Amino acid sequence: MNKISFRNDYSVIAHKKIIEKLNNFKNEINTGYAEDYHTENAKKKITALIKRNSDIYFLTGGTQTNMVLISAVLRPHEAVIAASTAHINVHETGAIEGQGHKIITVNKTDGKLTVEDIKKILDNHTDCHMVKPKLVFITNATEVGTVYNKNELKDLYEFCHKNDLYLYLDGARLAVSFSACDIKLDDYAKYTDAFYIGGTKIGSPLGEALIINNKELNKDFSYLIKHFGAMLAKGFVPAICFEALFEDDLYFKLGQDQNEKASYMTKKLKEIDVKLRYESPTNQVFAMLDNEKIKELEKDFIFERWDEKTVRFVVAFHNTYDEIDLLIEKIKNN
Amino acid sequence: MNKISFRNDYSVIAHKKIIEKLNNFKNEINTGYAEDYHTENAKKKITALIKRNSDIYFLTGGTQTNMVLISAVLRPHEAVIAASTAHINVHETGAIEGQGHKIITVNKTDGKLTVEDIKKILDNHTDCHMVKPKLVFITNATEVGTVYNKNELKDLYEFCHKNDLYLYLDGARLAVSFSACDIKLDDYAKYTDAFYIGGTKIGSPLGEALIINNKELNKDFSYLIKHFGAMLAKGFVPAICFEALFEDDLYFKLGQDQNEKASYMTKKLKEIDVKLRYESPTNQVFAMLDNEKIKELEKDFIFERWDEKTVRFVVAFHNTYDEIDLLIEKIKNN
Amino acid sequence: MNKISFRNDYSVIAHKKIIEKLNNFKNEINTGYAEDYHTENAKKKITALIKRNSDIYFLTGGTQTNMVLISAVLRPHEAVIAASTAHINVHETGAIEGQGHKIITVNKTDGKLTVEDIKKILDNHTDCHMVKPKLVFITNATEVGTVYNKNELKDLYEFCHKNDLYLYLDGARLAVSFSACDIKLDDYAKYTDAFYIGGTKIGSPLGEALIINNKELNKDFSYLIKHFGAMLAKGFVPAICFEALFEDDLYFKLGQDQNEKASYMTKKLKEIDVKLRYESPTNQVFAMLDNEKIKELEKDFIFERWDEKTVRFVVAFHNTYDEIDLLIEKIKNN
Amino acid sequence: MNKISFRNDYSVIAHKKIIEKLNNFKNEINTGYAEDYHTENAKKKITALIKRNSDIYFLTGGTQTNMVLISAVLRPHEAVIAASTAHINVHETGAIEGQGHKIITVNKTDGKLTVEDIKKILDNHTDCHMVKPKLVFITNATEVGTVYNKNELKDLYEFCHKNDLYLYLDGARLAVSFSACDIKLDDYAKYTDAFYIGGTKIGSPLGEALIINNKELNKDFSYLIKHFGAMLAKGFVPAICFEALFEDDLYFKLGQDQNEKASYMTKKLKEIDVKLRYESPTNQVFAMLDNEKIKELEKDFIFERWDEKTVRFVVAFHNTYDEIDLLIEKIKNN
């Protein structure tokens, strides 16, 4: 197939720097189950960036990371609050409920929770006949490409802590949040109880780095990872990938590069009067096109339909300005 | 560290042929979630070997594979029968119970279940106040290096099917079973309802190939993989690893080579009058040594203590005859 | 306290005919765990009324019955569809999610699901990244006092069966549905896969009769009751209560009597221009009163606040026309 | 049937004093969900006896009580230690595993755990690849009629607390322990973190009183009761039963009376040279009889077969010395 893909940001095995590093260490003997020096080294790199002595674990994928963290934190009757658009609510095949926990949802078109949303839920959950809200789940960048800014994150965190709630942030696409808002990596560590730095969607073959900032949440965490079938024998594999991602700022550079390209795409789409479904400053672009145009585009490009009138273009590390120009050209000429 | 490792068979990132293949495809665009051509291709290779139109899935690790398969098959009140030594009973941090299922165990020092063992359990579980046995779990090669032969496997399978039980085989170390017993890959498919072909312990960075032979067990299986947090976004990564393992019989050659080296180690140990804890024809060698000798050995070699009087040497794909000779030399001279 | 209670329909130990029957049999030796003749007898009475050879179990309470039935039916990745107002969604402290299953909700102010609602959910749940809808949960009478009629029930059932869904009906207040709609007990058995006949809310000290009409759902059901901690040692206790309820049509007479009294209350409230929040033809009356009037009423009556502007009066078997007149008087004169 | 029953201690609806009390209050209006004055009153009576400000809840049955308490206490990876004979291990259809927790068992013929047993398990569970023992489960009287004495209980409790373990005692047959050993009700409260006072097996139609002595275990407990489907709407029903049981020492008198009768039966059996399987000082008598004699006995008596050579006679509150004499006569004359 010679079609150009804007389908998603997990279509290529790995960024070349990661493959290179795996190749370099291919004859090395390491201890299994994350007790190796690569794991230590990757943790050190992240610790330096978050400026905090958090606990760090490398897991395989996003759904798994959400499932393990949320199940480790909540007791059986406790629930997690999330936007209706949240990945855990829509696209994890009931993984959170599967481990016993209700997701209390708030209908949000922009994918972002506010203090007011959470307050209403607390006001409404007052006795033992209802679940007890205990964890707030947010995502940055969100599933619709929007971002929280630092003040919004801080407000949520402070409200949570005043109300005996934990705040957890899903960072599947954290890489593209940095150049789209004013939150730095150390802010994420400061203003959440736990969050994860996504690897899979920014050039790693697998791997998410889960950062637990609140020591209360960390008790026996390795047991829990194993219990939920999430412990890799070769824990050094994702660790090496994160070593590569945090070498020479690769992680941040890739994120910024994708945003710039997506921004270029957005600008070009607006120039040819294509309406956008969400105001996304990150690497997902939601273009509203009519059905015939979409069918025409599908001959040369790969992308997803979002809803009846919208398609989603995702800019990944391997996409080029030329590919974007070809897409714009095609849309314009149909 | 320049110590020689006989600790386990998952200490090195990957066999060079696997790294090579990952590198070859590093610029290729693929569809996520196991809908790519590598996955198709790896399935085809396995299908040809098992000579059967089974359903095949690539998961990440052994505990996860056991957890997903067993949880997919059993209803809430149903239980799995296993030897007391079974990995699911001892070393999975309660992953099976974590998804709701009791493991009924039989005390076995050789790690192998018999028809008689299962019969006794059935005779003892007769009413609704006890769990209902529904699945039999066996491992080949077992946790103590022993193997089932073809007749034993066949007997278990036939007994299970006469008694409304499913038979599932954990093949974390399936690679080393082939040259140690008379079971071929197509026999595993013929005489189990499901089994998995271990990748991690034979040179893959991750990945186990789960083979579901009984269509009853396969209903909605992709949903279940996702539900338990076990679906990789880049499903083509483990698939490529299995493509490499089943190219030019690499899988079988590696298994045979490890067994031959382990067999050499066993012979040499016997020559110097070291007693062996189990009669293992596979790549795990359980040597009984006194405590001082063990401490002396630990200066130059890495290995695990099995119990107070026994150490375990595992021969992996990267171990050499020279390393074994050095080990024997050291034991002899202490 | 001499306050008059309209708080709910489970405030009194039991109807006198039930206490009488328990007293009559107090020296009788019976077999435990529902293997006694009272259980057989109660089942026969119900079987005669539903005109169908269904499987019948006596459980303790409504949440427990919902939890056991739903968990017995659904596989891990399967979900139940319910109105947002449903008891399982709001007032069971996550019991359904606790056993691993997502509840997919539809916002409904009248508490009733339609074929159209379910159709939309099916259209939206199409791949293995989302839960698989498998069971539809409805209630009659609903949590807001409304009722389905026979055609509505039949339509739902037929749609479910065409779409590989099961239909389950929560009958916590089934007794008050009979005189409020055209569904007979045998219709419930005909047009659901399972339903329960509530005992607790119609004069039993405990006990709900779960009726499984679809044999597919009944496999090993006694095991499942025990597994979820729901099997009573003295199974003959709820059975005797149901023997009493289905003697001389007590069950239906109590339901009709409560509806007639509630209807009388409704008429009287309308006469004094009190607005009603829902059009309830059953024993729950939702009156909209201003805050001062509510506070005044609370001096002499017990009832629940439903929302800021609404109070709920529930007419139970022990309430009298005199008590209703006193209530109306009080509202009028304030 | 005119057969005499020694089958079990839950064959009769209720002791007459309990039925009487239920009848007395049959017109009383009470608040639901354990917020009534009977519940308060029953708690006060128990508090006075245990001499401690523990938290008290009335649940329905033993399996349910074990399931709720254990699931409330343990995190997902934590396990409970129990004798192999324990009810939770053998006769609860996997209820504990069903909520996610492994039971680590010790083979014990007398049904009693020792400090040494627990110590071995702790020594063997040392890393995150195994479950973490966190709760010790014992029963008094045990499933085979034996009892712990006060020193044994104290030793277990002290060992548990030195080793970060909780101690929980199943008191399904607590009533018969008092006259068989030196433990008083306040000792149970002093030397356990939680225990339950069985009602069902001592004349209550249903109901077990769960006593939580360690405040750490009590957090949000009402939520957990509801979450596991164990909250009765008419919470005052079991409360009234316990009010009756703790009036005029009925509970203790019934227990002592049953033990005395069982002791009489034991003496008489020994006189006619019948061997006993266990040395039980409580209301269960395990007689070893040959198969023909058993068949002969079954014509006039109801009892359970324990194993191939043993039958169990249980003395309940309604059994008489005459019935015992008839049994002995029959055994002697066959």
Side-chain angles (χ1 to χ4, degrees):
Chain A
M1 287 184 302
N2 280 343
K3 288 189 189 179
I4 293 168
S5 174
F6 292 105
R7 176 186 267 149
N8 59 43
D9 31 19
Y10 45 87
S11 299
V12 162
I13 296 176
H15 190 271
K16 63 186 176 188
K17 297 236 169 146
I18 289 175
I19 293 278
E20 200 180 291
K21 217 181 233 322
L22 289 170
N23 191 49
N24 288 347
F25 292 114
K26 73 167 176 279
N27 294 319
E28 195 188 55
I29 303 279
N30 274 296
T31 311
Y33 303 116
E35 299 183 347
D36 63 287
Y37 86 94
H38 291 291
T39 298
E40 274 320 292
N41 198 25
K43 285 185 190 177
K44 267 183 208 155
K45 283 170 182 278
I46 291 172
T47 301
L49 287 163
I50 61 174
K51 300 173 189 165
R52 199 181 177 91
N53 183 23
S54 298
D55 296 286
I56 303 173
Y57 303 92
F58 300 103
L59 286 98
T60 308
T63 295
Q64 180 183 82
T65 304
N66 291 335
M67 181 179 104
V68 173
L69 186 280
I70 293 171
S71 305
V73 169
L74 298 184
R75 297 182 67 212
H77 64 295
E78 292 176 342
V80 48
I81 299 171
S84 52
T85 50
H87 201 261
I88 55 167
N89 189 45
V90 183
H91 279 118
E92 302 193 352
T93 318
I96 305 308
E97 294 89 351
Q99 299 309 320
H101 304 291
K102 194 181 193 71
I103 304 170
I104 306 170
T105 56
V106 189
N107 284 324
K108 302 297 287 191
T109 47
D110 69 347
K112 289 169 61 182
L113 284 181
T114 65
V115 163
E116 204 47 46
D117 296 327
I118 303 169
K119 208 174 159 324
K120 270 185 206 155
I121 287 171
L122 294 186
D123 289 346
N124 198 27
H125 284 75
T126 53
D127 68 39
C128 72
H129 298 270
M130 304 183 88
V131 289
K132 189 168 184 178
K134 185 69 188 170
L135 181 70
V136 172
F137 175 95
I138 58 174
T139 311
N140 218 24
T142 72
E143 288 77 7
V144 296
T146 56
V147 286
Y148 289 88
N149 63 38
K150 189 166 159 181
N151 274 341
E152 289 168 329
L153 179 66
K154 197 163 165 278
D155 285 353
L156 285 170
Y157 179 72
E158 285 168 0
F159 179 81
C160 285
H161 274 236
K162 274 185 203 131
N163 289 278
D164 198 24
L165 295 165
Y166 297 119
L167 181 63
Y168 167 57
L169 186 144
D170 174 329
R173 287 198 178 92
L174 202 73
V176 297
S177 76
F178 295 104
S179 66
C181 72
D182 57 351
I183 308 178
K184 302 294 156 222
L185 204 42
D186 58 324
D187 296 320
Y188 284 116
K190 198 169 168 187
Y191 297 125
T192 68
D193 292 287
F195 72 106
Y196 80 81
I197 302 174
T200 305
K201 285 177 173 144
I202 197 76
S204 189
L206 82 169
E208 323 295 314
L210 177 62
I211 322 289
I212 301 182
N213 307 306
N214 184 337
K215 295 288 169 193
E216 283 176 37
L217 276 58
N218 190 49
K219 199 176 169 225
D220 290 341
F221 209 81
S222 293
Y223 284 82
L224 289 150
I225 291 175
K226 180 77 181 181
H227 175 79
F228 291 112
M231 187 174 279
L232 276 179
K234 300 188 179 176
F236 42 84
V237 172
I240 290 169
C241 299
F242 273 95
E243 279 183 293
L245 283 171
F246 285 109
E247 213 162 272
D248 303 328
D249 288 338
L250 178 63
Y251 192 77
F252 302 102
K253 285 175 187 164
L254 291 177
Q256 182 169 354
D257 179 60
Q258 289 173 206
N259 282 358
E260 282 170 4
K261 284 170 182 160
S263 183
Y264 175 80
M265 186 193 282
T266 295
K267 198 188 72 174
K268 289 288 175 185
L269 284 168
K270 285 182 174 172
E271 283 173 15
I272 57 171
D273 292 325
V274 172
K275 288 213 157 36
L276 301 178
R277 182 88 164 73
Y278 307 104
E279 275 306 316
S280 162
T282 57
N283 72 324
Q284 298 188 85
V285 179
F286 298 87
M288 301 183 75
L289 297 171
D290 63 51
N291 209 29
E292 272 178 48
K293 194 152 270 183
I294 294 172
K295 281 191 178 160
E296 200 58 37
L297 269 184
E298 283 173 336
K299 292 178 186 164
D300 300 300
F301 297 89
I302 307 171
F303 50 86
E304 284 198 357
R305 290 193 176 224
W306 191 252
D307 57 33
E308 274 171 50
K309 295 172 179 171
T310 317
V311 298
R312 184 185 72 160
F313 303 120
V314 184
V315 179
F317 74 84
H318 45 78
N319 287 117
T320 62
Y321 284 99
D322 284 353
E323 290 175 337
I324 295 168
D325 286 340
L326 282 169
L327 177 77
I328 299 295
E329 201 63 24
K330 195 81 188 177
I331 295 174
K332 194 162 61 184
N333 295 342
N334 279 324
Chain B
M1 288 186 300
N2 279 343
K3 289 190 188 180
I4 293 168
S5 174
F6 291 105
R7 176 186 267 151
N8 59 43
D9 32 18
Y10 45 88
S11 299
V12 162
I13 296 176
H15 190 271
K16 63 185 175 189
K17 297 237 170 146
I18 289 175
I19 292 278
E20 200 179 292
K21 216 181 238 314
L22 289 170
N23 190 50
N24 289 347
F25 292 113
K26 74 167 176 279
N27 295 317
E28 196 188 54
I29 302 280
N30 274 297
T31 310
Y33 302 116
E35 299 183 349
D36 63 288
Y37 87 95
H38 291 290
T39 298
E40 274 320 292
N41 198 26
K43 285 185 189 177
K44 268 184 207 154
K45 282 170 183 278
I46 291 172
T47 302
L49 288 162
I50 61 174
K51 300 173 189 164
R52 200 180 177 93
N53 182 24
S54 298
D55 296 287
I56 303 173
Y57 303 91
F58 299 103
L59 286 96
T60 308
T63 295
Q64 181 183 83
T65 305
N66 291 336
M67 180 179 104
V68 173
L69 187 279
I70 293 171
S71 306
V73 169
L74 298 184
R75 295 183 68 210
H77 63 298
E78 292 176 341
V80 49
I81 298 171
S84 51
T85 50
H87 201 262
I88 54 167
N89 188 45
V90 183
H91 279 118
E92 302 194 351
T93 318
I96 305 308
E97 294 90 349
Q99 299 309 320
H101 304 290
K102 194 181 193 71
I103 304 170
I104 306 170
T105 56
V106 189
N107 284 323
K108 303 297 287 190
T109 48
D110 69 347
K112 289 169 61 181
L113 284 181
T114 65
V115 164
E116 204 49 44
D117 295 326
I118 302 169
K119 209 176 157 325
K120 270 184 206 157
I121 287 171
L122 294 187
D123 289 347
N124 197 27
H125 284 76
T126 53
D127 68 37
C128 73
H129 298 270
M130 305 184 86
V131 289
K132 188 168 185 177
K134 186 67 190 174
L135 181 71
V136 172
F137 175 95
I138 58 175
T139 310
N140 218 24
T142 72
E143 289 76 7
V144 296
T146 56
V147 288
Y148 290 87
N149 64 37
K150 188 165 160 181
N151 274 340
E152 289 169 329
L153 179 65
K154 197 162 165 278
D155 286 354
L156 285 170
Y157 179 72
E158 285 168 358
F159 179 82
C160 284
H161 273 235
K162 276 185 201 129
N163 289 278
D164 198 24
L165 294 165
Y166 296 120
L167 182 63
Y168 168 57
L169 186 144
D170 175 328
R173 285 197 179 93
L174 202 74
V176 295
S177 77
F178 295 103
S179 66
C181 72
D182 58 351
I183 308 177
K184 302 294 157 222
L185 204 42
D186 58 325
D187 296 319
Y188 284 116
K190 199 169 168 187
Y191 298 125
T192 68
D193 293 288
F195 73 108
Y196 80 82
I197 301 174
T200 304
K201 285 174 172 146
I202 198 76
S204 188
L206 82 170
E208 321 295 313
L210 177 61
I211 321 288
I212 301 182
N213 306 306
N214 183 337
K215 296 287 170 192
E216 282 175 36
L217 276 59
N218 189 50
K219 199 175 170 227
D220 290 341
F221 209 82
S222 294
Y223 284 82
L224 289 150
I225 291 175
K226 180 78 182 183
H227 175 78
F228 292 112
M231 187 174 279
L232 277 179
K234 298 187 179 176
F236 42 85
V237 172
I240 290 169
C241 300
F242 273 95
E243 278 184 294
L245 284 170
F246 285 109
E247 211 161 274
D248 302 328
D249 287 337
L250 179 63
Y251 191 78
F252 303 101
K253 285 175 187 165
L254 291 177
Q256 182 170 353
D257 178 60
Q258 289 173 205
N259 282 0
E260 282 169 4
K261 284 171 182 160
S263 183
Y264 175 79
M265 185 195 283
T266 294
K267 200 189 70 175
K268 289 288 175 185
L269 284 168
K270 285 181 174 171
E271 283 173 15
I272 56 172
D273 292 325
V274 172
K275 288 215 159 31
L276 300 178
R277 181 88 164 74
Y278 307 103
E279 275 305 316
S280 162
T282 58
N283 71 323
Q284 299 188 84
V285 179
F286 299 87
M288 301 182 76
L289 296 171
D290 63 49
N291 209 27
E292 273 178 46
K293 194 152 271 185
I294 293 172
K295 281 191 179 160
E296 201 56 40
L297 269 184
E298 283 173 337
K299 291 178 187 165
D300 300 301
F301 296 89
I302 307 171
F303 51 85
E304 284 199 357
R305 291 192 174 227
W306 191 252
D307 56 33
E308 275 172 49
K309 295 172 178 171
T310 317
V311 298
R312 184 184 72 160
F313 303 120
V314 184
V315 179
F317 74 85
H318 44 79
N319 288 117
T320 62
Y321 284 97
D322 284 352
E323 291 175 338
I324 296 168
D325 286 340
L326 283 168
L327 177 76
I328 299 296
E329 202 62 24
K330 196 81 191 176
I331 295 175
K332 194 163 61 185
N333 295 341
N334 278 327
Chain C
M1 288 185 299
N2 280 343
K3 287 189 190 179
I4 294 168
S5 173
F6 291 106
R7 178 186 265 147
N8 59 44
D9 32 18
Y10 45 87
S11 298
V12 162
I13 296 175
H15 190 271
K16 62 187 174 187
K17 298 237 171 145
I18 289 174
I19 293 278
E20 202 179 288
K21 218 183 237 315
L22 289 169
N23 191 49
N24 288 346
F25 292 114
K26 72 166 175 280
N27 295 317
E28 197 188 54
I29 302 280
N30 275 296
T31 310
Y33 303 117
E35 299 183 347
D36 64 287
Y37 86 94
H38 292 290
T39 298
E40 274 319 292
N41 198 24
K43 284 184 190 177
K44 270 184 206 152
K45 283 170 182 277
I46 291 172
T47 302
L49 288 162
I50 61 173
K51 301 173 188 163
R52 199 183 177 90
N53 183 25
S54 297
D55 296 286
I56 303 173
Y57 303 91
F58 299 103
L59 286 98
T60 308
T63 295
Q64 181 183 81
T65 304
N66 291 336
M67 180 179 104
V68 174
L69 187 281
I70 294 171
S71 305
V73 169
L74 298 184
R75 296 183 69 211
H77 63 296
E78 292 175 342
V80 48
I81 298 171
S84 52
T85 51
H87 202 260
I88 54 168
N89 189 46
V90 183
H91 279 118
E92 303 194 350
T93 318
I96 305 308
E97 293 90 350
Q99 300 308 322
H101 304 290
K102 193 181 194 71
I103 304 170
I104 305 170
T105 57
V106 188
N107 284 323
K108 302 297 288 192
T109 48
D110 70 348
K112 290 169 60 181
L113 284 181
T114 64
V115 163
E116 203 49 44
D117 295 327
I118 303 168
K119 210 175 158 324
K120 271 185 204 156
I121 287 170
L122 294 187
D123 289 347
N124 198 26
H125 285 75
T126 52
D127 68 38
C128 73
H129 298 270
M130 305 184 87
V131 289
K132 188 170 183 177
K134 184 68 189 171
L135 181 71
V136 172
F137 175 94
I138 59 174
T139 312
N140 217 24
T142 72
E143 288 76 9
V144 296
T146 54
V147 287
Y148 289 86
N149 64 38
K150 189 165 158 180
N151 274 341
E152 289 169 329
L153 180 65
K154 197 163 165 278
D155 286 353
L156 284 170
Y157 180 72
E158 285 168 359
F159 180 81
C160 284
H161 274 236
K162 274 185 203 131
N163 290 278
D164 198 24
L165 294 166
Y166 297 119
L167 181 63
Y168 167 57
L169 186 144
D170 175 327
R173 287 198 178 90
L174 201 73
V176 297
S177 76
F178 294 104
S179 67
C181 71
D182 57 350
I183 308 178
K184 303 294 156 221
L185 205 42
D186 58 323
D187 296 319
Y188 285 117
K190 200 169 166 185
Y191 298 124
T192 68
D193 293 286
F195 73 109
Y196 82 81
I197 301 175
T200 304
K201 285 176 173 146
I202 197 77
S204 189
L206 82 170
E208 323 294 314
L210 177 62
I211 322 288
I212 301 183
N213 306 306
N214 184 338
K215 296 287 169 193
E216 282 176 35
L217 276 58
N218 189 50
K219 201 178 169 223
D220 290 340
F221 209 82
S222 295
Y223 285 82
L224 289 151
I225 290 175
K226 180 78 180 179
H227 175 78
F228 291 112
M231 187 173 280
L232 276 178
K234 299 189 179 177
F236 41 84
V237 172
I240 290 170
C241 301
F242 273 95
E243 278 183 293
L245 283 172
F246 285 109
E247 213 161 270
D248 302 328
D249 287 340
L250 179 62
Y251 192 78
F252 302 103
K253 285 175 187 166
L254 290 178
Q256 183 170 354
D257 179 59
Q258 289 173 206
N259 281 359
E260 282 169 5
K261 284 171 182 159
S263 182
Y264 175 79
M265 186 194 281
T266 295
K267 199 189 70 175
K268 290 288 176 186
L269 284 168
K270 284 182 174 171
E271 283 173 16
I272 57 171
D273 292 327
V274 172
K275 287 216 159 32
L276 300 177
R277 182 88 162 72
Y278 307 103
E279 275 305 316
S280 161
T282 59
N283 72 325
Q284 299 188 83
V285 179
F286 298 85
M288 301 182 75
L289 296 171
D290 62 52
N291 210 28
E292 274 178 45
K293 195 151 271 185
I294 294 172
K295 281 189 177 160
E296 201 57 37
L297 269 183
E298 282 172 339
K299 292 179 185 164
D300 300 300
F301 296 89
I302 308 170
F303 51 87
E304 285 198 354
R305 290 194 176 224
W306 191 253
D307 57 32
E308 275 171 51
K309 296 170 179 171
T310 316
V311 298
R312 183 184 72 160
F313 303 121
V314 184
V315 179
F317 73 84
H318 45 77
N319 287 118
T320 63
Y321 283 99
D322 284 352
E323 291 176 337
I324 295 168
D325 286 339
L326 283 168
L327 177 76
I328 299 296
E329 203 61 24
K330 196 81 190 177
I331 295 175
K332 195 162 61 186
N333 295 341
N334 280 324
Chain D
M1 289 186 299
N2 280 342
K3 288 189 189 179
I4 293 168
S5 173
F6 292 105
R7 177 185 267 148
N8 59 43
D9 32 18
Y10 45 87
S11 297
V12 162
I13 296 175
H15 190 272
K16 62 186 174 189
K17 297 236 171 147
I18 289 174
I19 293 279
E20 202 178 288
K21 218 182 236 316
L22 289 170
N23 191 48
N24 289 347
F25 292 114
K26 74 168 175 275
N27 295 318
E28 198 187 55
I29 302 280
N30 275 295
T31 310
Y33 303 116
E35 299 183 348
D36 63 288
Y37 86 95
H38 292 290
T39 298
E40 273 319 292
N41 198 24
K43 284 185 190 177
K44 270 184 205 153
K45 283 168 182 279
I46 291 171
T47 302
L49 288 162
I50 60 174
K51 300 173 190 165
R52 198 182 179 91
N53 183 25
S54 297
D55 296 286
I56 304 174
Y57 302 92
F58 300 103
L59 285 97
T60 308
T63 295
Q64 181 184 81
T65 305
N66 292 335
M67 181 178 103
V68 174
L69 186 281
I70 294 171
S71 306
V73 169
L74 299 183
R75 296 183 68 211
H77 63 297
E78 292 176 342
V80 48
I81 299 172
S84 53
T85 51
H87 201 260
I88 55 167
N89 189 45
V90 182
H91 280 118
E92 301 194 351
T93 318
I96 305 309
E97 293 90 349
Q99 299 310 321
H101 304 290
K102 192 181 194 72
I103 304 171
I104 306 170
T105 56
V106 189
N107 283 324
K108 304 297 287 190
T109 49
D110 69 350
K112 290 169 60 183
L113 284 182
T114 64
V115 163
E116 204 47 46
D117 295 329
I118 302 169
K119 210 176 158 321
K120 270 184 206 158
I121 287 170
L122 293 186
D123 289 348
N124 198 27
H125 284 75
T126 53
D127 67 38
C128 72
H129 297 270
M130 305 184 86
V131 289
K132 188 169 184 176
K134 184 69 189 172
L135 181 71
V136 172
F137 174 95
I138 59 175
T139 311
N140 216 26
T142 73
E143 288 76 8
V144 297
T146 54
V147 287
Y148 290 88
N149 63 37
K150 190 165 155 180
N151 274 340
E152 289 169 330
L153 180 65
K154 198 163 164 277
D155 286 355
L156 284 171
Y157 180 72
E158 285 169 358
F159 179 81
C160 284
H161 274 236
K162 274 186 203 128
N163 289 279
D164 198 24
L165 294 166
Y166 297 120
L167 181 63
Y168 167 59
L169 186 144
D170 175 328
R173 287 195 179 92
L174 201 73
V176 297
S177 76
F178 294 105
S179 67
C181 72
D182 58 351
I183 309 178
K184 302 295 156 221
L185 205 42
D186 57 322
D187 296 320
Y188 284 117
K190 200 169 166 184
Y191 298 124
T192 68
D193 293 287
F195 73 109
Y196 81 82
I197 302 175
T200 304
K201 285 175 173 146
I202 198 74
S204 188
L206 82 170
E208 323 293 315
L210 177 62
I211 322 289
I212 301 182
N213 306 306
N214 184 338
K215 297 288 169 193
E216 281 177 36
L217 276 57
N218 190 49
K219 202 179 166 223
D220 289 342
F221 209 81
S222 294
Y223 284 83
L224 289 150
I225 291 175
K226 180 77 181 183
H227 175 78
F228 290 113
M231 187 174 281
L232 277 180
K234 299 188 180 177
F236 42 84
V237 172
I240 289 170
C241 300
F242 274 95
E243 278 184 293
L245 283 171
F246 285 110
E247 211 162 271
D248 302 327
D249 286 340
L250 179 63
Y251 192 78
F252 303 102
K253 285 175 187 166
L254 291 177
Q256 182 170 353
D257 180 59
Q258 290 173 207
N259 281 0
E260 283 169 5
K261 284 171 182 160
S263 183
Y264 175 80
M265 186 194 281
T266 295
K267 198 188 72 172
K268 289 289 175 186
L269 285 168
K270 285 182 172 170
E271 283 173 15
I272 58 171
D273 291 328
V274 172
K275 288 216 157 34
L276 300 177
R277 182 86 162 76
Y278 307 104
E279 275 306 316
S280 162
T282 58
N283 73 324
Q284 299 188 85
V285 179
F286 298 86
M288 302 182 75
L289 297 171
D290 62 51
N291 209 28
E292 275 179 45
K293 194 152 270 184
I294 293 172
K295 281 190 177 161
E296 201 56 39
L297 269 183
E298 283 173 338
K299 291 178 186 165
D300 300 301
F301 296 89
I302 308 171
F303 51 85
E304 284 199 355
R305 292 192 174 225
W306 192 252
D307 57 32
E308 275 172 49
K309 295 170 178 172
T310 317
V311 298
R312 184 184 72 160
F313 303 121
V314 184
V315 179
F317 74 85
H318 44 79
N319 286 117
T320 63
Y321 284 97
D322 283 353
E323 290 176 338
I324 295 169
D325 286 340
L326 283 168
L327 178 76
I328 299 296
E329 203 60 27
K330 196 80 190 179
I331 295 174
K332 193 161 64 185
N333 295 341
N334 278 326

